[in-house]
């Protein structure tokens, strides 16, 4: 049994699809545009593709249905998360050292002190020496005046030495009394009320600071419930899988947070306090609008959108290389920049459809969606769900 259970489940699904298709490893690898050795590793469960695009090509070449594509995407996402969590990363040790050095850098050691900190300046040296007398006594006592003599003045407007000493003593006494009185007041004052703990579930001790992919607990259920209250179409099952990942990311985009797909403190706060809505178009409305915009090729355009996003305007596909595909036609980060768009615009179904039409109009074909062009050649993949 493979040491990674989720990777084995993902591999078993790939093997079942390949076996049903009747394709050899060589033929399937050629159709999917990957090497035979990579396909072997994926089907054996010893490796998980870093980009879902390869998985999609394998599945469509095997004639996978829309339901099978959805399930395969779920298995891939969970298996990839498992791989990221369990495989040691080479940079961890280095990162610890770097962090320690950074922390140490806040408190310079004698060895790291530069020339300016190694020796005091002349001004500082002089200032430090001023209170000392020639005898080295830090608190020299002034000599009393001789009987019958006048108390000397050291400068215009200054009190005699004896009077100055009395004044200093009185000032010190006032300071001491004031300090004692303040301490008594503080000790007798009632204690300030302790800050009330946040009773909301996601902020309770039962939930970790970050709720993320692969978790299955009441904290995930709470996040899903809150997303549903904001209008998201989501199953409330306590399982943080691909669907929850997509909805969390979409919520972050809509509310203006970094779209990292994990529920951190800022996302928790927004889930409880923000008034944003995630309501969007139904699949029926999406089909109708695509047919209106792509009047020359309405059926193909609907099939492409269905293959890419299952007609879900808030569909987001994260890739492990850090890029994402956005919305109905899964417009990539690169294309988004070219079109002058943003993730927020890409999740607007009208903008996404019009952007896809602009891409199609360049050559009046769907070459920007090569994986789904292959899907159009099979009835199962071309039929809208």
């Amino acid at each position: 049994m493979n040491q990674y259970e989720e990777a084995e489940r993902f591999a078993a699904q790939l093997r079942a699809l390949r076996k049903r298709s009747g394709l050899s490893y060589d033929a399937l690898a050629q159709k999917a545009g990957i090497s035979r050795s990579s396909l072997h590793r994926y089907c054996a469960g010893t490796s998980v593709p870093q980009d879902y695009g390869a998985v999609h090509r394998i599945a469509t070449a095997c004639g996978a249905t829309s339901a099978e594509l959805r399930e395969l995407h779920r298995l891939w996402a969970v298996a990839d998360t498992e791989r990221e969590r369990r495989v040691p990363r080479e940079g961890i040790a280095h990162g610890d050292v770097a962090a320690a050095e950074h922390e140490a850098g806040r408190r310079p050691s004698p060895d790291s002190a530069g020339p300016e900190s190694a020796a005091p300046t002349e001004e500082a040296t002089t200032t430090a020496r001023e209170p000392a007398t020639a005898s080295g006594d830090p608190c020299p006592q002034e000599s009393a005046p001789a009987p019958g003599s006048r108390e000397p003045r050291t400068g215009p407007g200054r009190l005699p030495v004896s009077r100055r000493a009395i004044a200093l003593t009185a000032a010190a006494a006032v300071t001491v009394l004031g300090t004692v009185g303040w301490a008594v007041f503080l000790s007798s004052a009632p204690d300030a009320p302790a800050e009330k703990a946040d009773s909301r579930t996601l902020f309770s001790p039962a939930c970790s600071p970050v709720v993320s992919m692969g978790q299955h607990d009441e904290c995930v259920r709470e996040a899903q419930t809150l997303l549903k209250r904001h209008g998201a179409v989501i199953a409330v099952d306590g399982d943080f899988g691909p669907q929850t990942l997509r909805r969390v990311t979409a919520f972050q985009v809509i509310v203006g947070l970094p779209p990292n797909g994990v529920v951190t403190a800022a996302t928790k706060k927004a889930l409880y306090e923000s008034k944003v809505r995630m309501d969007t178009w139904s699949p029926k409305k999406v089909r109708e609008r695509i047919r209106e915009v792509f009047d020359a090729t309405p059926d193909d355009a609907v099939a492409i959108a269905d293959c890419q996003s299952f007609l879900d305007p808030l569909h987001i596909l994260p890739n492990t290389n850090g890029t994402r595909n956005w919305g109905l036609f899964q417009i990539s980060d690169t294309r988004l920049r070219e079109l002058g768009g943003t993730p927020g615009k890409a999740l607007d179904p009208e903008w996404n459809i019009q952007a896809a039409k602009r891409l199609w109009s360049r050559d009046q074909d769907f070459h920007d969606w090569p994986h789904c062009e292959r899907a159009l050649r099979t009835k199962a993949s071309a039929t809208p769900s």
Side-chain angles (χ1 to χ4, degrees):
M1 179 70 179
N2 192 293
Q3 61 172 328
Y4 301 151
E5 292 182 5
E6 301 301 341
E8 176 56 31
R9 291 192 183 97
F10 168 70
Q13 184 76 355
L14 286 181
R15 291 196 298 269
L17 288 173
R18 188 199 69 82
K19 185 176 180 180
R20 188 186 68 188
S21 71
L23 295 171
S24 65
Y25 278 100
D26 284 329
L28 180 54
Q30 188 173 3
K31 281 179 173 289
I34 61 176
S35 67
R36 186 177 185 274
S37 60
S38 295
L39 180 60
H40 260 295
R41 291 197 301 273
Y42 300 157
C43 290
T46 58
S47 178
V48 177
Q50 290 190 346
D51 192 329
Y52 176 70
V55 181
H56 193 92
R57 293 195 299 273
I58 294 170
T60 53
C62 292
T65 64
S66 295
E68 288 172 333
L69 287 172
R70 291 188 183 95
E71 176 62 12
L72 193 61
H73 178 261
R74 185 190 71 81
L75 293 172
W76 168 78
V78 176
D80 186 67
T81 300
E82 179 184 60
R83 177 183 63 82
E84 289 289 331
R85 287 184 172 182
R86 296 193 183 184
V87 176
R89 298 178 181 178
E90 294 180 0
I92 291 178
H94 174 73
D96 291 343
V97 173
E101 291 177 351
H102 176 72
E103 181 66 22
R106 298 176 186 172
R107 301 183 296 274
S109 64
D111 295 335
S112 62
E116 295 182 359
S117 61
T121 61
E122 181 179 350
E123 181 181 355
T125 304
T126 304
T127 304
R129 289 175 180 173
E130 282 179 357
T133 62
S135 63
D137 185 358
C139 300
Q141 296 184 0
E142 295 174 337
S143 57
S149 64
R150 291 185 177 180
E151 294 174 343
R153 293 180 178 269
T154 55
R158 294 189 62 184
L159 291 173
V161 175
S162 60
R163 293 181 183 177
R164 192 164 67 249
I166 294 172
L168 289 174
T169 302
V174 171
T175 302
V176 171
L177 290 174
T179 303
V180 172
W182 181 247
V184 171
F185 169 76
L186 289 179
S187 62
S188 61
D191 293 337
E195 186 177 348
K196 187 178 180 180
D198 197 326
S199 60
R200 295 175 293 186
T201 302
L202 289 177
F203 289 100
S204 69
C207 293
S208 60
V210 177
V211 180
S212 60
M213 186 79 167
Q215 284 185 229
H216 185 93
D217 52 31
E218 288 304 312
C219 303
V220 176
R221 188 181 298 275
E222 174 75 356
Q224 292 170 333
T225 301
L226 294 170
L227 287 166
K228 195 164 187 176
R229 288 178 188 170
H230 284 281
V233 177
I234 186 172
V236 180
D237 56 7
D239 183 14
F240 201 126
Q243 185 193 43
T244 303
L245 174 66
R246 289 192 291 268
R247 294 299 182 250
V248 168
T249 307
F251 175 77
Q252 290 170 329
V253 170
I254 294 170
V255 83
L257 293 172
N260 53 23
V262 296
V263 184
T264 58
T267 303
K268 292 177 183 180
K269 186 174 187 294
L271 283 170
Y272 282 113
E273 300 175 9
S274 174
K275 304 299 182 183
V276 302
R277 298 294 302 170
M278 299 180 69
D279 308 89
T280 189
W281 292 4
S282 68
K284 180 181 178 182
K285 184 175 180 178
V286 168
R287 286 193 189 94
E288 291 173 352
R289 185 56 181 153
I290 291 176
R291 290 180 184 279
E292 292 171 357
V293 174
F294 287 85
D295 54 346
T297 56
D299 292 336
D300 285 349
V302 170
I304 289 289
D306 186 26
C307 171
Q308 287 287 326
S309 66
F310 314 114
L311 303 182
D312 176 11
L314 300 183
H315 191 83
I316 301 170
L317 178 63
N319 297 309
T320 54
N321 61 4
T323 63
R324 288 186 177 92
N325 303 326
W326 303 91
L328 284 171
F329 283 89
Q330 289 294 277
I331 298 176
S332 67
D333 286 330
T334 302
R335 288 285 185 260
L336 206 56
R337 287 191 293 270
E338 291 177 6
L339 297 169
T342 63
K345 287 182 177 179
L347 297 184
D348 174 8
E350 180 64 29
W351 190 95
N352 199 287
I353 293 170
Q354 296 293 346
K357 179 65 179 295
R358 288 165 60 187
L359 294 174
W360 176 86
S361 298
R362 293 176 179 179
D363 298 304
Q364 295 201 350
D365 63 25
F366 293 98
H367 70 273
D368 267 276
W369 299 272
H371 311 323
C372 287
E373 270 194 312
R374 294 190 182 96
L376 291 177
R377 296 170 189 158
T378 65
K379 293 182 180 180
S381 297
T383 302
S385 60

